[in-house]
Amino acid sequence: MGRFRLLLRTTAVRMSALYLGLFAICAVILVFYVTDLTSSLLTYQTKQVVQDELKVLGNFYRRGGVSRLIGHIDRRSREPGANLYTIAAPNGQILAGNVESLQPGVLEREGWTERPFSYRRFYQPEGTPGHMALAEVIFLPNGMRVLVGRDLGEPTKFRSMVQRSLVMALGIMVIGALVIWFVIGRRALQRIDRVSQASQKIMAGDLGQRLPVSGSGDEFDRLSESLNSMLGRIESLNEGLRQVSDNIAHDLKTPLTRLRNRAEAALAGKEDGPAYRAAMEEMIEESDQLIRTFNALLMISRVEAGSAVAEMNEVDLSQIAHDAEELYEPVADEAGVSLSTRIEDGIEVSGNRELIGQALTNLIDNAIKYSADCKKPARIEVALERGTNGSVLSVSDNGPGIPENRRHDVIKRFVRLDESRSKPGTGLGLSLVDAIMALHGGRLELDCNGNEHSGLCARMVFDRRG
């Protein structure tokens, strides 16, 4: 009983019950309408048959008087399936016809009887119910009455049969609807139970749990798929947060330890002004590195959140590339790196100039840092061109490159291929570039220049919109 009450609370069952109720009301109205229409049609046909017969009797009366009329009625009343015929005296006594007796008062008024009346046939057994009929009464000039009518037995049976058929069809449809209603409600309840069970596991901390999808493509599946996508995103963010927390604890522990050790060493040593000054400068340098790390984290968080700092406008991507070339050309020369460009002019995108410039300078800075130590002559190329589906801004180098199985990892925060941390950096540069490209509806692609050991090509792909 409790499960049935729970079943009645589901939206699918309530909607089914509402539709069933509306259907039942419409079906009942239809039954009465069809029955009434059938009755009206049969009554009309009965009256038409009686009026046609009266015209024939009128012709006999005009040609031969009452005697000929009585003779014709006597013959017609003996035929199979004959109408009702009665000729009565002015006092109501039946003189001829195929009716033994009539309901009192039928012959007292001329014209159509207001409602069906009862009568008895000749040789009808006693105790059997009388028959019902409709008739028209005609008064002759000599006071005699002529009644011609039609038995309603067959029309009544037909009307009853139609009514019973409609009621039976309604009953079958109602039973079928109830079965369907129960099946739909039961299935909906079972699916809701499965969703509730999965939700309880998710609330218990199992973010890898997913809501069940039956594959039918109905509203439950669409809702489950949307929620599963949301759960996947939450799981990814939660995993990223966990990794960031671990990486922050790992990467910030070392500079903080160095800060403490240098401060402790300065205090433990002799009071020497130059030594104190050198220790303070080293501590400031470590502090600046920490500040840069936190600033990069804040920038990534703001970009991923779509902060108002990232206002979008039409920007000249070609000019941004030229500005980056001008900025880094002396830096590359100083590092012994050859910087070349291949920039197509007049390319514009919708975006934030500062963020795109920050992403490009991060890529160029990484290329200079990792290709400068190579034994072969270091080369970097900044290229901008129109692609099939948008614009591509790329930075290529001939450095050590990134193994294919690590290209997805290096985009994560604090992930560095230089496990020894011998090179300066925070491990957040590519994470920031990836976040900036996601904000602009594009993507960051990392690829090699021809083979696994021929450097890295980092592409900022701006998809064409509209």
Side-chain angles (χ1 to χ4, degrees):
M1 191 65 181
R3 190 170 181 82
F4 181 74
R5 283 196 294 267
L6 184 60
L7 187 66
L8 293 177
R9 294 178 185 174
T10 60
T11 302
V13 171
R14 289 180 177 178
M15 292 296 295
S16 300
L18 176 61
Y19 291 144
L20 178 61
L22 292 175
F23 170 76
I25 292 173
C26 293
V28 170
I29 294 174
L30 179 64
V31 168
F32 282 103
Y33 172 75
V34 172
T35 303
D36 183 69
L37 185 65
T38 304
S39 177
S40 300
L41 178 63
L42 293 175
T43 300
Y44 172 78
Q45 291 177 344
T46 299
K47 289 184 177 181
Q48 192 68 37
V49 170
V50 170
Q51 288 174 351
D52 291 342
E53 184 65 16
L54 284 172
K55 290 179 182 178
V56 174
L57 294 178
N59 291 332
F60 277 95
Y61 177 74
R62 284 189 293 271
R63 290 199 298 265
V66 174
S67 60
R68 189 168 185 178
L69 176 63
I70 292 175
H72 178 73
I73 288 176
D74 186 60
R75 288 194 304 272
R76 292 298 298 267
S77 62
R78 298 177 186 275
E79 295 177 358
N83 295 325
L84 302 182
Y85 297 97
T86 298
I87 295 181
N91 61 359
Q93 181 181 0
I94 296 176
L95 303 177
N98 55 2
V99 176
E100 181 181 359
S101 63
L102 293 170
Q103 181 179 319
V106 173
L107 297 174
E108 294 178 1
R109 296 183 59 181
E110 189 176 18
W112 278 100
T113 53
E114 294 182 355
R115 60 179 62 88
F117 61 90
S118 62
Y119 73 96
R120 291 185 64 82
R121 297 175 181 270
F122 286 107
Y123 311 113
Q124 182 175 340
E126 292 292 337
T128 58
H131 297 276
M132 303 299 293
L134 278 177
E136 186 173 0
V137 179
I138 302 296
F139 287 5
L140 300 180
N142 61 2
M144 297 180 68
R145 287 91 187 274
V146 177
L147 178 145
V148 179
R150 189 75 179 173
D151 189 275
L152 297 180
E154 291 185 1
T156 300
K157 290 179 181 178
F158 181 74
R159 183 171 60 250
S160 177
M161 181 183 66
V162 171
Q163 189 172 8
R164 284 198 306 271
S165 300
L166 289 173
V167 170
M168 183 178 296
L170 173 61
I172 293 173
M173 287 186 287
V174 168
I175 293 173
L178 286 172
V179 172
I180 295 173
W181 173 42
F182 179 77
V183 171
I184 291 176
R186 185 181 178 85
R187 287 190 59 194
L189 193 59
Q190 288 174 345
R191 297 184 69 177
I192 291 173
D193 287 342
R194 291 197 295 270
V195 169
S196 298
Q197 292 170 3
S199 301
Q200 290 173 0
K201 293 180 181 178
I202 293 169
M203 289 187 293
D206 183 8
L207 294 181
Q209 186 69 229
R210 292 295 180 266
L211 301 181
V213 177
S214 66
S216 62
D218 58 7
E219 62 276 8
F220 282 102
D221 276 3
R222 293 195 295 272
L223 178 60
S224 295
E225 288 170 356
S226 299
L227 292 176
N228 286 341
S229 298
M230 181 184 70
L231 289 170
R233 178 63 175 164
I234 291 174
E235 184 182 18
S236 175
L237 292 174
N238 190 61
E239 178 62 21
L241 180 62
R242 186 189 64 79
Q243 291 180 354
V244 167
S245 300
D246 293 344
N247 290 331
I248 287 178
H250 182 271
D251 282 60
L252 298 187
K253 180 179 179 180
T254 300
L256 287 173
T257 301
R258 285 200 297 264
L259 276 174
R260 182 186 181 284
N261 291 341
R262 283 169 182 164
E264 186 178 15
L267 290 173
K270 298 180 180 180
E271 294 185 5
D272 186 356
Y276 279 176
R277 182 177 182 83
M280 292 300 294
E281 288 176 351
E282 291 176 354
M283 292 171 66
I284 289 173
E285 184 179 351
E286 293 286 352
S287 299
D288 288 341
Q289 179 64 25
L290 288 173
I291 291 172
R292 285 193 293 271
T293 299
F294 282 111
N295 285 339
L297 285 171
L298 287 173
M299 178 62 74
I300 293 173
S301 298
R302 289 175 180 175
V303 170
E304 288 181 340
S307 174
V309 71
E311 295 180 1
M312 300 295 179
N313 300 294
E314 287 295 322
V315 296
D316 190 340
L317 199 57
S318 302
Q319 187 59 48
I320 294 176
H322 283 301
D323 291 344
E325 173 200 5
E326 183 178 349
L327 176 65
Y328 271 90
E329 192 169 20
V331 178
D333 287 340
E334 183 179 348
V337 177
S338 173
L339 177 61
S340 62
T341 59
R342 184 166 45 87
I343 301 172
E344 187 175 341
D345 292 328
I347 296 180
E348 293 186 350
V349 296
S350 176
N352 182 275
R353 182 183 180 86
E354 288 73 22
L355 292 179
I356 295 175
Q358 176 71 51
L360 180 57
T361 56
N362 278 9
L363 294 180
I364 296 175
D365 188 67
N366 278 351
I368 292 174
K369 180 169 59 177
Y370 287 102
S371 62
D373 294 340
C374 294
K375 296 179 181 180
K376 53 188 175 183
R379 296 189 304 273
I380 296 175
E381 181 186 59
V382 178
L384 173 63
E385 57 187 355
R386 287 187 177 90
T388 305
N389 298 320
S391 303
V392 180
L393 178 58
S394 62
V395 178
S396 304
D397 63 63
N398 63 340
I402 300 176
E404 186 176 357
N405 61 345
R406 296 298 306 276
R407 289 173 193 159
H408 179 71
D409 295 333
V410 295
I411 299 177
K412 299 177 181 179
R413 301 176 192 180
F414 294 108
V415 174
R416 299 174 64 184
L417 296 182
D418 178 22
E419 300 293 346
S420 63
R421 302 296 200 262
S422 60
K423 293 184 179 295
T426 61
L428 297 172
L430 291 179
S431 299
L432 179 58
V433 176
D434 185 61
I436 290 173
M437 292 310 300
L439 178 67
H440 287 78
R443 60 191 182 278
L444 172 64
E445 296 179 351
L446 301 179
D447 199 0
C448 59
N449 291 320
N451 59 67
E452 191 72 20
H453 303 289
S454 61
L456 179 72
C457 179
R459 301 187 188 91
M460 298 166 58
V461 181
F462 295 86
D463 293 330
R464 182 179 289 113
R465 299 185 180 181

